[in-house]
Short mmCIF file of all heavy atoms in Angstrom, two decimals:
data_model
loop_
_atom_site.label_atom_id
_atom_site.label_comp_id
_atom_site.label_asym_id
_atom_site.label_seq_id
_atom_site.Cartn_x
_atom_site.Cartn_y
_atom_site.Cartn_z
N ILE A 100 32.08 90.41 69.04
CA ILE A 100 32.52 89.35 69.94
C ILE A 100 34.01 89.11 69.93
O ILE A 100 34.55 88.48 70.83
CB ILE A 100 31.81 88.01 69.64
CG1 ILE A 100 32.07 87.59 68.20
CG2 ILE A 100 30.30 88.14 69.91
CD1 ILE A 100 31.55 86.23 67.86
N SER A 101 34.72 89.60 68.93
CA SER A 101 36.15 89.31 68.81
C SER A 101 36.98 90.35 69.54
O SER A 101 36.75 91.55 69.43
CB SER A 101 36.56 89.30 67.33
OG SER A 101 35.92 88.31 66.64
N THR A 102 37.97 89.85 70.31
CA THR A 102 38.89 90.74 71.02
C THR A 102 40.32 90.48 70.58
O THR A 102 40.67 89.36 70.17
CB THR A 102 38.79 90.53 72.54
OG1 THR A 102 39.05 89.16 72.85
CG2 THR A 102 37.42 90.91 73.07
N ASN A 103 41.13 91.52 70.66
CA ASN A 103 42.54 91.41 70.37
C ASN A 103 43.31 92.12 71.48
O ASN A 103 42.89 93.18 71.94
CB ASN A 103 42.88 92.03 69.03
CG ASN A 103 42.32 91.22 67.87
OD1 ASN A 103 42.75 90.11 67.60
ND2 ASN A 103 41.34 91.77 67.20
N TYR A 104 44.44 91.53 71.85
CA TYR A 104 45.28 92.09 72.90
C TYR A 104 46.71 92.25 72.41
O TYR A 104 47.20 91.45 71.61
CB TYR A 104 45.32 91.15 74.13
CG TYR A 104 44.03 91.07 74.89
CD1 TYR A 104 43.07 90.11 74.54
CD2 TYR A 104 43.76 91.91 75.97
CE1 TYR A 104 41.89 90.00 75.25
CE2 TYR A 104 42.58 91.80 76.69
CZ TYR A 104 41.65 90.85 76.31
OH TYR A 104 40.47 90.76 77.02
N ALA A 105 47.38 93.27 72.91
CA ALA A 105 48.82 93.38 72.69
C ALA A 105 49.49 92.20 73.36
O ALA A 105 49.08 91.75 74.43
CB ALA A 105 49.34 94.68 73.26
N ASP A 106 50.55 91.70 72.75
CA ASP A 106 51.25 90.54 73.32
C ASP A 106 51.74 90.85 74.73
O ASP A 106 51.76 89.95 75.60
CB ASP A 106 52.44 90.15 72.45
CG ASP A 106 52.02 89.50 71.15
OD1 ASP A 106 50.87 89.02 71.06
OD2 ASP A 106 52.84 89.46 70.22
N SER A 107 52.11 92.07 74.98
CA SER A 107 52.69 92.45 76.26
C SER A 107 51.67 92.40 77.41
O SER A 107 52.09 92.39 78.59
CB SER A 107 53.29 93.85 76.18
OG SER A 107 52.29 94.79 75.82
N VAL A 108 50.37 92.35 77.11
CA VAL A 108 49.38 92.36 78.18
C VAL A 108 48.54 91.08 78.21
O VAL A 108 47.71 90.90 79.12
CB VAL A 108 48.43 93.57 78.06
CG1 VAL A 108 49.23 94.86 77.99
CG2 VAL A 108 47.49 93.45 76.90
N LYS A 109 48.76 90.20 77.26
CA LYS A 109 47.97 88.94 77.23
C LYS A 109 48.15 88.17 78.53
O LYS A 109 49.26 88.01 79.03
CB LYS A 109 48.41 88.09 76.04
CG LYS A 109 47.87 88.55 74.71
CD LYS A 109 48.33 87.66 73.58
CE LYS A 109 47.80 88.15 72.24
NZ LYS A 109 48.28 87.33 71.12
N GLY A 110 47.02 87.70 79.05
CA GLY A 110 47.06 86.92 80.30
C GLY A 110 47.03 87.80 81.55
O GLY A 110 46.83 87.29 82.65
N ARG A 111 47.20 89.11 81.39
CA ARG A 111 47.19 90.02 82.54
C ARG A 111 46.02 91.00 82.48
O ARG A 111 45.47 91.37 83.53
CB ARG A 111 48.51 90.80 82.61
CG ARG A 111 49.73 89.94 82.73
CD ARG A 111 50.98 90.79 83.00
NE ARG A 111 51.29 91.70 81.91
CZ ARG A 111 51.38 93.02 82.04
NH1 ARG A 111 51.18 93.60 83.22
NH2 ARG A 111 51.67 93.77 80.99
N PHE A 112 45.67 91.44 81.30
CA PHE A 112 44.60 92.43 81.11
C PHE A 112 43.38 91.76 80.49
O PHE A 112 43.51 90.84 79.66
CB PHE A 112 45.05 93.56 80.19
CG PHE A 112 46.11 94.48 80.74
CD1 PHE A 112 46.80 94.18 81.92
CD2 PHE A 112 46.41 95.65 80.09
CE1 PHE A 112 47.77 95.02 82.42
CE2 PHE A 112 47.38 96.52 80.58
CZ PHE A 112 48.07 96.19 81.73
N THR A 113 42.21 92.26 80.87
CA THR A 113 40.96 91.76 80.30
C THR A 113 40.06 92.93 79.93
O THR A 113 39.77 93.79 80.77
CB THR A 113 40.21 90.84 81.27
OG1 THR A 113 41.07 89.75 81.66
CG2 THR A 113 38.96 90.29 80.64
N ILE A 114 39.62 92.95 78.69
CA ILE A 114 38.68 93.98 78.23
C ILE A 114 37.27 93.41 78.30
O ILE A 114 37.06 92.23 78.00
CB ILE A 114 39.04 94.45 76.79
CG1 ILE A 114 38.21 95.67 76.42
CG2 ILE A 114 38.89 93.33 75.78
CD1 ILE A 114 38.62 96.31 75.10
N SER A 115 36.34 94.24 78.74
CA SER A 115 34.95 93.80 78.79
C SER A 115 34.05 94.99 78.47
O SER A 115 34.49 96.16 78.52
CB SER A 115 34.59 93.22 80.15
OG SER A 115 34.80 94.17 81.18
N ARG A 116 32.80 94.66 78.17
CA ARG A 116 31.87 95.69 77.71
C ARG A 116 30.51 95.42 78.32
O ARG A 116 30.06 94.27 78.34
CB ARG A 116 31.82 95.63 76.19
CG ARG A 116 30.95 96.62 75.49
CD ARG A 116 31.16 96.49 73.98
NE ARG A 116 30.85 95.16 73.52
CZ ARG A 116 31.19 94.71 72.30
NH1 ARG A 116 31.85 95.50 71.48
NH2 ARG A 116 30.86 93.50 71.93
N ASP A 117 29.87 96.47 78.79
CA ASP A 117 28.50 96.36 79.29
C ASP A 117 27.62 97.08 78.28
O ASP A 117 27.55 98.32 78.26
CB ASP A 117 28.38 96.99 80.68
CG ASP A 117 27.02 96.78 81.29
OD1 ASP A 117 26.02 96.75 80.55
OD2 ASP A 117 26.94 96.68 82.53
N ASN A 118 26.93 96.32 77.45
CA ASN A 118 26.13 96.93 76.38
C ASN A 118 24.95 97.73 76.93
O ASN A 118 24.57 98.74 76.35
CB ASN A 118 25.65 95.86 75.41
CG ASN A 118 26.80 95.23 74.64
OD1 ASN A 118 27.85 95.84 74.48
ND2 ASN A 118 26.61 94.01 74.20
N ALA A 119 24.39 97.26 78.02
CA ALA A 119 23.22 97.96 78.58
C ALA A 119 23.61 99.34 79.11
O ALA A 119 22.86 100.31 78.98
CB ALA A 119 22.64 97.12 79.70
N LYS A 120 24.82 99.42 79.68
CA LYS A 120 25.27 100.72 80.24
C LYS A 120 26.14 101.49 79.27
O LYS A 120 26.50 102.63 79.53
CB LYS A 120 26.05 100.47 81.53
CG LYS A 120 25.22 99.86 82.67
CD LYS A 120 26.07 99.68 83.91
CE LYS A 120 25.24 99.11 85.05
NZ LYS A 120 26.05 98.92 86.29
N ASN A 121 26.47 100.83 78.13
CA ASN A 121 27.34 101.48 77.14
C ASN A 121 28.67 101.91 77.75
O ASN A 121 29.14 103.04 77.58
CB ASN A 121 26.65 102.67 76.49
CG ASN A 121 27.08 102.91 75.06
OD1 ASN A 121 27.38 101.94 74.34
ND2 ASN A 121 27.10 104.14 74.63
N THR A 122 29.27 100.98 78.46
CA THR A 122 30.57 101.24 79.11
C THR A 122 31.57 100.17 78.72
O THR A 122 31.21 99.05 78.35
CB THR A 122 30.44 101.28 80.64
OG1 THR A 122 29.87 100.02 81.10
CG2 THR A 122 29.55 102.41 81.10
N LEU A 123 32.81 100.54 78.82
CA LEU A 123 33.94 99.67 78.49
C LEU A 123 34.85 99.62 79.69
O LEU A 123 35.09 100.65 80.34
CB LEU A 123 34.68 100.22 77.28
CG LEU A 123 35.77 99.39 76.64
CD1 LEU A 123 35.15 98.17 75.96
CD2 LEU A 123 36.55 100.21 75.65
N THR A 124 35.40 98.44 79.98
CA THR A 124 36.26 98.29 81.15
C THR A 124 37.54 97.57 80.75
O THR A 124 37.55 96.73 79.87
CB THR A 124 35.51 97.45 82.21
OG1 THR A 124 34.33 98.14 82.61
CG2 THR A 124 36.40 97.24 83.43
N LEU A 125 38.61 97.94 81.43
CA LEU A 125 39.88 97.24 81.26
C LEU A 125 40.37 96.85 82.65
O LEU A 125 40.73 97.71 83.46
CB LEU A 125 40.93 98.13 80.57
CG LEU A 125 42.27 97.44 80.27
CD1 LEU A 125 42.07 96.37 79.19
CD2 LEU A 125 43.32 98.45 79.82
N GLN A 126 40.34 95.56 82.93
CA GLN A 126 40.85 95.03 84.20
C GLN A 126 42.34 94.72 83.99
O GLN A 126 42.67 93.92 83.13
CB GLN A 126 40.11 93.78 84.63
CG GLN A 126 40.61 93.15 85.92
CD GLN A 126 40.42 94.05 87.12
OE1 GLN A 126 39.36 94.65 87.28
NE2 GLN A 126 41.44 94.15 87.97
N MET A 127 43.17 95.35 84.80
CA MET A 127 44.62 95.20 84.64
C MET A 127 45.19 94.55 85.91
O MET A 127 45.10 95.14 87.00
CB MET A 127 45.28 96.56 84.40
CG MET A 127 44.70 97.30 83.22
SD MET A 127 45.58 98.84 82.85
CE MET A 127 45.17 99.79 84.31
N ASN A 128 45.73 93.37 85.76
CA ASN A 128 46.32 92.62 86.86
C ASN A 128 47.81 92.44 86.65
O ASN A 128 48.31 92.59 85.53
CB ASN A 128 45.65 91.26 87.02
CG ASN A 128 44.17 91.36 87.33
OD1 ASN A 128 43.71 92.28 87.99
ND2 ASN A 128 43.41 90.41 86.84
N SER A 129 48.51 92.09 87.70
CA SER A 129 49.97 91.86 87.63
C SER A 129 50.68 92.98 86.90
O SER A 129 51.49 92.76 86.01
CB SER A 129 50.24 90.51 86.93
OG SER A 129 49.60 89.43 87.59
N LEU A 130 50.36 94.20 87.31
CA LEU A 130 50.91 95.36 86.61
C LEU A 130 52.43 95.43 86.78
O LEU A 130 52.99 95.05 87.82
CB LEU A 130 50.24 96.64 87.14
CG LEU A 130 48.85 96.87 86.59
CD1 LEU A 130 48.06 97.84 87.47
CD2 LEU A 130 48.93 97.38 85.16
N LYS A 131 53.05 95.95 85.72
CA LYS A 131 54.51 96.12 85.68
C LYS A 131 54.86 97.58 85.49
O LYS A 131 54.04 98.34 84.93
CB LYS A 131 55.09 95.30 84.52
CG LYS A 131 54.73 93.82 84.55
CD LYS A 131 55.23 93.14 83.30
CE LYS A 131 54.89 91.65 83.31
NZ LYS A 131 55.39 90.96 82.08
#
């Protein structure tokens, strides 16, 4: 349940996981 983010992406990127599908996602917003 614990997540960690690099300071440079906090507030812009979101990591999520679908356990049923065994997939990992990274939503990246406000890209630089």
Side-chain angles (χ1 to χ4, degrees):
I100 58 173
S101 297
T102 57
N103 291 291
Y104 291 88
D106 287 342
S107 59
V108 307
K109 284 180 181 177
R111 301 188 297 122
F112 291 10
T113 303
I114 190 173
S115 59
R116 182 174 59 193
D117 186 327
N118 293 336
K120 296 181 179 179
N121 211 32
T122 57
L123 188 69
T124 299
L125 184 69
Q126 178 65 43
M127 304 185 294
N128 299 327
S129 302
L130 283 161
K131 304 175 180 180

